[in-house]
Amino acid sequence: MTRQIAALLVGWLLSVPVYAQSDLPPVSLAQLTRPAGWQLVGSVSPNAESTSMKTTSGANVLVGSSAPLTLLTPTADFRVRFETLMTAGADVVLTLPNGQSISLAHSQEIARILKAPGLWQTVELWYKIGSTKSSSMLEKLAINGITVREGQTVAGTALGPLTVMAKTGSMAIRNVGYRVMTPRIVAQWAGPLSYTIVEGGYIQDPAEAAKKKVLKQDTTNLLSYEVSYGQPRQYTIFFTGKLNALQTGDYRFDLNQGGLAALWIDGKEVLPINHLELGMPNANTIPLTAGPHDVKVYFSRSWFRPGLGLYVSQAGTRPQPLHAPTSLPEPDPVAVVSVNPDFSDAGNQVQRIRSFVQLPGEKTKRTHSLSVGSPVGIHYTVDLNQMALLQVWKGDFANTTEMWYERGEPQLLAPLGPPVYLPAQTPLMVLPNDATAWPDSLGENILQYKGLSINKQGVPTLTYTLAGTTVTDATRAEGNALVRTLTLAGSPTGTPYCRVAAGSAIEEVSKGLYAVNDRSYYVRIDPKAKVKMRQSNGKQELLLPVELKNGTGSVHYSIVF
């Protein structure tokens, strides 16, 4: 298996927290000046080929093409985010305030992670206005949650509008959010901080640390782990002081440490004790009244490189450090350990990785997962306990840093492209009838994974038993889709069903083509299939009975994204 190592000096490794405030106030589309060719509508529904869009009346979406639409005219640093939907062959161009244009279709690093035409995708942009002493900077450009450009100095001193247009085809825009970012001070220490250093490190209970031998007590003007210089290698520090909030409102605190640390304000736990490396900030937002507040910071030395930093911010402000600059050193550069499919004389080879996977919102890891990477840039993860497709994505394959770097904790594989999350349950089940609720999980008495076979290109076919049947699952990357064929053999005690799709909303685009979760992805099935759309457990589902002839039957469908 090939491991590609590339230096990682961006994103989560930076010592400054990535977000000051992630929420962006919505922009009223009705207030934007609409050039000729743009119209305000309620919703859009592209046709099956995504060559045209039907619209409904309303004020939720802007639809247009060749004329540039001005999203904003900046006067200061800003962050903007919007969702866009494009017709087939559309070339959407984003023009920055300095006049530089970025084509989504013709930029290689962007085009490879774009979703299929007719699906909604997100664009997020952070921009820093230049001055006579410094250049403007594209701080971040993210497509579908994946940062494609970061910390890029841009040429020119002009300060024009931020515009978007479709040079070819048509596009739709919705959910525009915008915020000016300023370096305004929002809070400051009301006086010196008192600190107590006690003997012993890696202590996860402050009550236990309070019983240890006191090594030093003194005051400091700013938060700093460096007050421990001259002390034994293992130590724990209690800081106490008063922080003066300059106005009533919500305040975000970012704690960044190498070791164990926690934060309390006015006796309430804001950030619980956590054991983290440098470059992995821990954050929370709380309301504060104007005036002084009691602050307590806990830091305990561990085997991680030491460091301690605390930032405060409000909506629309950049993070403000409450620590000494030398208290939070830049983290050591860590290489990304990544895996991509092989391209060799023997043919394009699919990559397979067994790992732990943890989905957003889930508290536990899925410990029996297989991720499959294809040379065509279409990848997926399947849970071998439930035989469920968990996620699919485009672009590069797998980030295995947390599996293979140093001690390999927490042993999680992460997609290198923007993931589309799928229903995390079994796709097949034997049910008494088509009104029976779909099970959330299956035990080994019903479903048992039996293994896999691999062809010459490394593509796996999975085999398992399910309620009296033997199932083979052949999932293949083809074009911009994953094609899945489930073949059943046996004598089940009831009717086998395949849940082809499930989500908050399912839209029938045309016969056999369905858009799932507000056009997050498509599912395509045989137009002649006797599929049933139903409401169950708060979800819409596409249910397809599997007909068995002479003890065998199959289901064939595609996931397009």
Side-chain angles (χ1 to χ4, degrees):
M1 184 174 293
T2 301
R3 303 185 187 184
Q4 297 177 329
I5 311 298
L8 179 62
L9 297 173
V10 296
W12 62 275
L13 280 180
L14 295 178
S15 58
V16 175
V18 175
Y19 292 95
Q21 292 285 331
S22 59
D23 58 308
L24 300 179
V27 173
S28 171
L29 298 182
Q31 294 179 357
L32 296 180
T33 300
R34 297 192 295 277
W38 284 82
Q39 59 176 324
L40 186 62
V41 301
S43 64
V44 295
S45 296
N47 62 4
E49 296 76 24
S50 295
T51 54
S52 63
M53 293 185 278
K54 291 182 179 180
T55 63
T56 62
S57 60
N60 300 317
V61 181
L62 278 171
V63 180
S65 55
S66 57
L69 172 71
T70 297
L71 296 178
L72 58 98
T73 300
T75 57
D77 302 351
F78 67 88
R79 294 177 184 177
V80 66
R81 182 178 58 244
F82 61 89
E83 295 177 2
T84 182
L85 180 151
M86 297 172 275
T87 58
D91 179 15
V92 170
V93 175
L94 189 68
T95 301
L96 303 180
N98 74 318
Q100 177 182 338
S101 295
I102 300 174
S103 167
L104 302 190
H106 294 157
S107 175
Q108 183 176 359
E109 74 271 28
I110 295 175
R112 64 200 305 266
I113 61 173
L114 287 177
K115 290 185 179 181
L119 298 177
W120 286 107
Q121 37 207 335
T122 60
V123 178
E124 185 173 6
L125 175 73
W126 297 5
Y127 194 86
K128 182 177 176 61
I129 301 296
S131 66
T132 55
K133 296 182 179 180
S134 61
S135 301
S136 296
M137 178 176 289
L138 177 58
E139 294 185 302
K140 174 181 174 180
L141 176 62
I143 307 295
N144 294 324
I146 300 297
T147 299
V148 293
R149 298 188 185 182
E150 189 171 30
Q152 183 181 82
T153 300
V154 295
T157 57
L159 190 58
L162 175 72
T163 68
V164 65
M165 64 179 289
K167 291 183 66 176
T168 58
S170 300
M171 66 180 299
I173 293 282
R174 72 176 186 183
N175 294 338
V176 178
Y178 165 71
R179 187 185 294 283
V180 171
M181 302 300 297
T182 69
R184 175 173 60 88
I185 293 176
V186 299
Q188 55 193 8
W189 294 116
L193 288 81
S194 299
Y195 66 86
T196 299
I197 304 176
V198 301
E199 191 175 59
Y202 197 32
I203 303 175
Q204 304 192 47
D205 183 359
E208 177 188 347
K211 299 175 185 178
K212 299 291 185 178
K213 178 183 176 182
V214 174
L215 300 175
K216 182 182 179 183
Q217 290 181 316
D218 205 339
T219 62
T220 179
N221 291 328
L222 292 171
L223 200 67
S224 177
Y225 89 94
E226 291 185 316
V227 298
S228 64
Y229 279 3
Q231 303 302 323
R233 179 174 176 81
Q234 297 301 320
Y235 58 84
T236 297
I237 314 175
F238 294 90
F239 293 93
T240 58
K242 287 189 178 294
L243 184 69
N244 189 33
L246 300 189
Q247 63 183 27
T248 298
D250 289 339
Y251 286 77
R252 170 165 168 150
F253 292 88
D254 288 82
L255 189 61
N256 194 334
Q257 81 263 6
L260 294 100
L263 171 68
W264 294 264
I265 296 180
D266 295 330
K268 298 179 181 179
E269 184 180 73
V270 176
L271 293 169
I273 291 179
N274 222 327
H275 188 215
L276 297 172
E277 293 187 68
L278 290 172
M280 301 175 66
N282 191 14
N284 193 13
T285 300
I286 63 168
L288 292 180
T289 57
H293 296 269
D294 292 325
V295 174
K296 179 180 177 180
V297 177
Y298 178 84
F299 176 76
S300 188
R301 179 81 155 85
S302 74
W303 59 81
F304 290 149
R305 183 185 178 191
L308 179 64
L310 179 63
Y311 295 87
V312 62
S313 60
Q314 286 190 285
T317 71
R318 292 185 177 274
Q320 171 196 336
L322 297 172
H323 57 273
T326 53
S327 181
L328 190 61
E330 288 191 8
D332 295 326
V334 175
V336 170
V337 184
S338 64
V339 176
N340 269 309
D342 287 337
F343 297 87
S344 63
D345 294 338
N348 296 342
Q349 290 294 307
V350 166
Q351 287 285 4
R352 306 172 310 280
I353 304 177
R354 292 285 299 267
S355 72
F356 294 169
V357 169
Q358 191 162 7
L359 301 181
E362 293 190 348
K363 296 182 179 179
T364 58
K365 304 173 186 177
R366 293 181 180 253
T367 57
H368 295 71
S369 300
L370 173 69
S371 294
V372 180
S374 166
V376 301
I378 302 288
H379 322 297
Y380 68 90
T381 300
V382 61
D383 179 355
L384 299 177
N385 279 337
Q386 300 297 315
M387 304 311 300
L389 277 179
L390 300 178
Q391 56 190 1
V392 295
W393 68 97
K394 292 180 178 178
D396 288 334
F397 179 35
N399 181 346
T400 56
T401 308
E402 292 186 341
M403 296 169 55
W404 297 335
Y405 177 69
E406 289 190 342
R407 299 180 61 161
E409 285 291 341
Q411 300 180 358
L412 293 173
L413 177 144
L416 281 173
V420 174
Y421 298 108
L422 306 176
Q425 293 82 35
T426 175
L428 293 170
M429 188 55 197
V430 176
L431 301 177
N433 54 64
D434 61 11
T436 306
W438 202 259
D440 187 61
S441 62
L442 299 179
E444 290 187 358
N445 59 324
I446 299 177
L447 187 155
Q448 282 191 341
Y449 171 64
K450 293 298 184 181
L452 56 81
S453 59
I454 301 170
N455 67 11
K456 292 181 179 180
Q457 283 70 46
V459 180
T461 296
L462 309 177
T463 302
Y464 59 98
T465 58
L466 173 73
T469 65
T470 297
V471 182
T472 57
D473 181 346
T475 303
R476 306 288 188 262
E478 295 182 10
N480 66 345
L482 273 176
V483 179
R484 192 178 200 187
T485 302
L486 300 164
T487 304
L488 292 77
S491 302
T493 55
T495 302
Y497 289 86
C498 177
R499 191 175 67 164
V500 179
S504 57
I506 297 178
E507 171 193 351
E508 185 175 12
V509 179
S510 65
K511 198 66 176 176
L513 181 65
Y514 299 85
V516 185
N517 287 343
D518 191 19
R519 289 187 174 264
S520 175
Y521 63 97
Y522 293 117
V523 168
R524 189 186 297 276
I525 60 176
D526 185 346
K528 298 178 181 179
K530 299 177 181 178
V531 67
K532 175 183 178 180
M533 188 181 296
R534 70 174 190 173
Q535 193 79 22
S536 179
N537 291 331
K539 296 180 180 179
Q540 281 192 288
E541 298 179 334
L542 287 178
L543 216 59
L544 183 64
V546 184
E547 297 183 7
L548 298 181
K549 295 182 180 179
N550 298 321
T552 62
S554 64
V555 177
H556 185 81
Y557 65 96
S558 301
I559 301 168
V560 184
F561 59 102

